[in-house]
Every structure is written in structure tokens, then in C-alpha cells.
Amino acid sequence: MTDISTTPRPETHGETHGQFLVAALYHFASFPRFAEFREPLQAVCDENGVKGTLLIAHEGINGTIAGTDAGIATVLAFLRAQPELVALEHKESRASSMPFLRMKVRLKKEIVTMGVENIDPNKIVGTYVDAKDWNALISDPETIVIDTRNDYETAIGIFKGAVDPQTKTFREFPDWVRNHTGLHNKPKIAMYCTGGIRCEKATAFMKEQGFDEVYHLKGGILKYLEEVPREESLWEGACFVFDDRVSVTHGLEEGEHTLCHACRQPLTKADLLSPHHEDGVSCIHCHEVRTDEDRERYRQRQKQIELAKKRGERHLGS
């Protein structure tokens, strides 16, 4: 068991800007008893006031949780007490308000869904690159840099010069690779994602496809934004995160994006000025594809959300 009191905690920035600690974590491991682990894990999270989502599967664990520093420390210690998860790593940031409504521990077929059988990062994977060495790799003209995230994520931020596959889901990524023979034109492939899990699985797939020099950013964009000074950064924009903060920037400070609750797209301040924007109902991204019936349904939901706010409560649909 890892002693949480003696294990170095990742450096956090802007700690005074948020009372809630947010821990993003994943670990690939053979975990055949994952189904029986769900209830004990849910109980530990609930007992310590921790909220968020954790996915567990035969291949390991993935998710993001938030709570008090003590609550998060207890949950992480519980996870690392499991033989399969003893080497679990996590990344920390802060939130000014609780970014999740509830705690969900879900059983899944994959902890990140690619939909390709027999891709196992425990057996074959690309080469990790630390955040401090990432700029040199992606600045090399012999490197193709690929963003493995989805289009709504890349829309608000991307590494300079990166290729954006513009996928709707991670399931589309394997076909995108198969259909882009030009990826073989340069010897090095450098891949990245939010926290590291998608590009770790993607590098395993790329190795299976015959690519030799495949690299991925250890700890993902979050680790890069935490460790690399803004003045040295090759990151452009903000990083989408899957909680109520919506986005983070350098130093893992909370970004300025909000979320359209009709289509779940991140919105900039400029997007909020669009005549197509209506809180909880539509935005510049989804106005043309929603029906009047859709919008009326969303308006009724938005009314319930606003009523809940007036009562000092939080509506589950918000």
C-alpha cells in the first residue's frame, strides 16, 4: 500500500483560487475483479464527500473526482491500496465550486472507448515524453503531431502545428488513421490528449499499425499546462475539461468558457453574444439543427434550473 502521507503530491497552481481539489486519474492494468470493486469504491467516495465519475473495466480505471483535500487523499489511498492500482498516478487542479453533481462509479467494457479489439497498452505502447521535452519533439520537422481528442475539444485549443482529425468520438480515430496514408511520410508520430489516456491507447493502436517511432505526452495537456511556463508554451487556447469548469488554461487556472446545455459545446464570450444563443436552449453551434419542439423542451428545463437556483438548490439537469 502506498503511504499517502509520504507520497509526493503533484505541484498545484492557483490553490487559493479554489477550495475544491480536482484529481484526474487513469491507470491501465489487468483488473479482472473490477465488477466487485464498484460498490466498495462508491462507498469510499460517498463517505468522504467526493463527487465525479470513475470508470472501471478489465483494463483498469479512468476518471475525474473532486472534493476536499482530505477526501481526495483518502480515495486515492484506497485506490493505491489495491494491488492492481498501486502505481496509479493522478494530476491535480483546483475549482472554485464543486464541479460535479454526484458520484458515479461505472462498469465499462473499456476505460476509454476506441472499439478495437485486443489493443492493450500494458503490452505495447508508444514512448512517453515529459512535458519539459515536448516542445523540442513537436518542433522537429521530422515529427507529425496529432491531437487525439474530439472536435469540440480541439475547437478551443490545440498545440501549434498539430493535425486535428476532427473526430466526433474516439471510435472514429482508428479509421481516420487507416485513411491517412500520408502519416507514413515522416518517421516520428507525436500524440497528445487531455490527461494522457486516449493518446496512450492511440499509440498502442499506431504501433499495431506498423508505425515505429510513436511518442505521447506524459500526463497530457493538463501536465503540460501545469509545468511549462506560459512564455515558453506552444499551446494555443484553452483545454476543455469534462466538468463544470469547462476549460482550464496555463497554470491550470479556470478558463472563461461556458457550456451549451443543449448540445454540450464549449462557448466563448463572443458566442454568448450571438442572436442564436439562449441560456440552456440553443447556441451558435446547435441552433440550426434543433427543432422548435426541442427548444421549447429545453426552455421548460431551463425554467426548472432557474427555480432550483432561487431555492438555493442545484437542478440535476443543469
Side-chain angles (χ1 to χ4, degrees), residues 137-183:
L137 174 63
I138 68 174
S139 298
D140 185 341
E142 294 299 298
T143 301
I144 295 177
V145 187
I146 302 174
D147 194 315
T148 65
R149 301 172 304 150
N150 299 322
D151 55 3
Y152 60 91
E153 299 169 82
T154 59
I156 67 170
I158 196 167
F159 274 109
K160 183 178 180 180
V163 176
D164 179 5
Q166 298 188 331
T167 52
K168 298 293 183 185
T169 72
F170 192 45
R171 282 182 174 273
E172 296 177 8
F173 184 78
D175 282 341
W176 180 84
V177 172
R178 296 183 187 109
N179 293 330
H180 283 72
T181 55
L183 296 177

Side-chain angles (χ1 to χ4, degrees), residues 30-314:
S30 178
F31 198 19
R33 64 183 182 94
F34 73 96
E36 64 191 68
F37 186 60
R38 190 193 72 80
E39 288 191 12
L41 178 55
Q42 179 77 51
V44 169
C45 292
D46 291 343
E47 289 165 5
N48 288 277
V50 169
K51 297 180 181 180
T53 300
L54 291 172
L55 309 179
I56 50 177
H58 67 90
E59 65 179 9
I61 187 169
N62 174 34
T64 305
I65 53 177
T68 64
D69 290 44
I72 294 296
T74 299
V75 172
L76 291 175
F78 177 72
L79 290 172
R80 292 184 176 120
Q82 314 307 313
E84 301 91 342
L85 307 178
V86 68
L88 173 76
E89 295 184 2
H90 74 284
K91 292 169 289 296
E92 295 182 359
S93 56
R94 312 295 299 196
S96 56
S97 59
M98 170 54 78
F100 299 104
L101 283 173
R102 62 185 74 83
M103 184 65 222
K104 297 173 286 187
V105 180
R106 293 178 170 173
L107 304 181
K108 304 290 284 187
K109 184 177 180 181
E110 300 177 77
I111 57 173
V112 58
T113 304
M114 176 182 272
V116 179
E117 296 291 335
N118 301 318
I119 296 298
D120 187 355
N122 288 307
K123 296 179 179 178
I124 183 172
V125 74
T127 301
Y128 289 109
V129 178
D130 289 331
K132 63 182 176 61
D133 301 318
W134 183 248
N135 285 357
L137 174 63
I138 68 174
S139 298
D140 185 341
E142 294 299 298
T143 301
I144 295 177
V145 187
I146 302 174
D147 194 315
T148 65
R149 301 172 304 150
N150 299 322
D151 55 3
Y152 60 91
E153 299 169 82
T154 59
I156 67 170
I158 196 167
F159 274 109
K160 183 178 180 180
V163 176
D164 179 5
Q166 298 188 331
T167 52
K168 298 293 183 185
T169 72
F170 192 45
R171 282 182 174 273
E172 296 177 8
F173 184 78
D175 282 341
W176 180 84
V177 172
R178 296 183 187 109
N179 293 330
H180 283 72
T181 55
L183 296 177
H184 289 275
N185 292 344
K186 293 184 179 181
K188 300 177 184 178
I189 300 288
M191 312 175 82
Y192 68 89
C193 59
T194 307
I197 185 170
R198 276 178 286 183
C199 52
E200 185 157 341
K201 205 162 194 180
T203 60
F205 172 76
M206 297 292 276
K207 298 285 282 189
E208 291 282 2
Q209 294 296 301
F211 293 88
D212 292 324
E213 288 193 71
V214 184
Y215 303 87
H216 53 127
L217 177 58
K218 187 175 183 180
I221 303 163
L222 295 179
K223 179 57 68 174
Y224 183 91
L225 293 179
E226 178 188 353
E227 294 188 349
V228 177
R230 186 187 300 267
E231 59 273 17
E232 298 176 13
S233 176
L234 295 181
W235 175 258
E236 299 175 337
C239 177
F240 184 89
V241 290
F242 296 88
D243 57 59
D244 282 359
R245 294 173 298 170
V246 184
S247 68
V248 295
T249 59
H250 286 87
L252 300 182
E253 297 289 343
E254 292 186 44
E256 297 183 345
H257 291 82
T258 58
L259 203 65
C260 172
H261 290 293
C263 68
R264 313 304 292 177
Q265 289 278 350
L267 305 176
T268 65
K269 288 184 176 180
D271 292 335
L272 300 180
L273 300 177
S274 166
H276 295 313
H277 178 261
E278 183 178 349
D279 281 346
V281 177
S282 67
C283 74
I284 190 172
H285 302 292
C286 67
H287 183 270
E288 298 301 324
V289 298
R290 301 298 186 191
T291 66
D292 289 340
E293 289 79 9
D294 289 334
R295 284 189 279 273
E296 184 55 34
R297 188 170 68 254
Y298 297 151
R299 285 191 187 98
Q300 294 304 315
R301 179 186 63 185
Q302 186 65 19
K303 287 181 182 178
Q304 295 303 314
I305 291 172
E306 291 170 359
L307 287 171
K309 285 182 180 179
K310 289 180 179 178
R311 296 192 300 267
E313 302 170 354
R314 191 172 178 185

